[in-house]
Amino acid sequence: MEKICFIVAMRAEVKPFIEEYGMVEEPGFFAPLPCQLYKAEKNGCQLFVVLNGQQHGSDLVGCEAASVATNVAIQRLDPDIIVNSGTCGGFRSEGAEIAKVFIGNGAMFHDRRVPGDDEWSTQSIGNYSVWEGSAEMAASLGFSMGKVTTGSSLDMQPCDLEVIKANGGQLKDMEGAAIGFVASLYGKPVLYIKSVTDLCDGGAETIEEFRRNLHAASLALREADRRVIEYLSGL
């Protein structure tokens, strides 16, 4: 692959990666949108990092910002693959540990409740496919796999958990399925790399556990991203 584009929500998640690769920002590339572009070359590949950007002094997280970033990244950069690299919640009962990295084997929404027939239900949940080489790559690199479930809130309501469990969800984030949705419209393959910051069934306060483990999870993410790039650049 010649052009690999990472879509990332928070600067803290990708800061170690940007520093390791000496990535250079191209200011105003997506203006007037807040999305930010960083670029580098590695093993003959063009590497792009597209951050959702900031508004009101804070990182833009969630489905809306991720959808905007993915849309403009595809239109302006035309990458060979979209990589959603970021942190997530995980379930200890599904093998999750703090700073453990997973490769996504699917993506869905867990909080879009649209009553009605099967057609509406299917559309609201999504169930977006991943890059066809994900399983082979995960096995080659020794990563576990898990299904990414996406919602617009950091916390998890009982009704969200019901949807997650009913659909085989294992990793909880706020961007993955939105990125999968936009990529599906363009026919672009998506690869998910997720590092666990908090345990959804661990009993701790989610926001405090997230803050406590964000740096460690981001360092694990950097190492995973490096290994994935080496793998993809050989294809």
Side-chain angles (χ1 to χ4, degrees), residues 70-71 74 78-82 128-132 179-190:
T70 306
N71 186 48
I74 292 174
D78 191 26
D80 296 315
I81 190 169
I82 293 292
Y128 302 104
S129 61
V130 298
W131 171 55
E132 61 183 9
I179 292 169
F181 163 67
V182 176
S184 73
L185 300 179
Y186 287 96
K188 290 288 184 181
V190 180

Side-chain angles (χ1 to χ4, degrees), residues 7-55:
I7 306 291
V8 185
M10 299 178 61
R11 179 176 295 276
E13 294 173 313
V14 78
K15 184 174 182 288
F17 177 75
I18 287 174
E19 292 175 346
E20 175 161 325
Y21 283 92
M23 303 192 81
V24 177
E25 183 179 7
E26 190 163 331
F29 184 83
F30 296 114
L33 299 175
C35 309
Q36 297 169 288
L37 174 66
Y38 289 82
K39 298 167 33 178
E41 289 193 14
K42 178 70 173 179
N43 299 338
C45 290
Q46 295 183 65
L47 301 180
F48 303 110
V49 166
V50 176
L51 278 163
N52 293 352
Q54 294 189 334
Q55 191 176 47

Side-chain angles (χ1 to χ4, degrees), residues 125-147:
I125 289 176
N127 279 322
Y128 302 104
S129 61
V130 298
W131 171 55
E132 61 183 9
S134 294
E136 183 177 345
M137 187 197 72
S140 176
L141 299 181
F143 290 119
S144 298
M145 299 193 77
K147 189 172 185 179

Side-chain angles (χ1 to χ4, degrees), residues 21-229:
Y21 283 92
M23 303 192 81
V24 177
E25 183 179 7
E26 190 163 331
F29 184 83
F30 296 114
L33 299 175
C35 309
Q36 297 169 288
L37 174 66
Y38 289 82
K39 298 167 33 178
E41 289 193 14
K42 178 70 173 179
N43 299 338
C45 290
Q46 295 183 65
L47 301 180
F48 303 110
V49 166
V50 176
L51 278 163
N52 293 352
Q54 294 189 334
Q55 191 176 47
H56 308 307
S58 61
D59 290 326
L60 287 165
V61 300
C63 297
E64 295 85 356
S67 295
V68 170
T70 306
N71 186 48
V72 295
I74 292 174
Q75 288 191 343
R76 296 290 303 276
L77 303 173
D78 191 26
D80 296 315
I81 190 169
I82 293 292
V83 182
N84 176 214
S85 174
T87 57
C88 69
F91 292 85
R92 179 176 287 160
S93 59
E94 297 286 347
E97 302 171 4
I98 299 301
K100 181 176 179 178
V101 175
F102 289 81
I103 301 299
N105 59 16
M108 56 167 277
F109 291 100
H110 61 247
D111 66 349
R112 297 205 301 183
R113 292 173 285 277
V114 183
D117 57 23
D118 290 341
E119 181 179 356
W120 281 107
S121 176
T122 300
Q123 188 276 129
S124 64
I125 289 176
N127 279 322
Y128 302 104
S129 61
V130 298
W131 171 55
E132 61 183 9
S134 294
E136 183 177 345
M137 187 197 72
S140 176
L141 299 181
F143 290 119
S144 298
M145 299 193 77
K147 189 172 185 179
V148 178
T149 79
T150 298
S152 295
S153 299
L154 185 65
D155 68 357
M156 180 176 62
Q157 299 301 309
C159 52
D160 297 336
L161 181 59
E162 289 179 13
V163 174
I164 291 171
K165 292 300 184 182
N167 290 274
Q170 294 158 294
L171 308 168
K172 177 181 175 294
D173 79 349
M174 296 177 66
E175 290 87 19
I179 292 169
F181 163 67
V182 176
S184 73
L185 300 179
Y186 287 96
K188 290 288 184 181
V190 180
L191 171 64
Y192 295 96
I193 311 174
K194 295 292 178 178
S195 182
V196 176
T197 53
D198 54 279
L199 298 173
C200 301
D201 53 355
E205 180 69 25
T206 301
I207 186 62
E208 295 304 321
E209 193 173 26
F210 168 79
R211 288 171 174 161
R212 185 167 60 250
N213 298 314
L214 176 59
H215 182 63
S218 297
L219 291 179
L221 199 58
R222 176 186 63 183
E223 174 63 16
D225 289 344
R226 180 188 63 77
R227 296 177 64 199
V228 167
I229 288 169

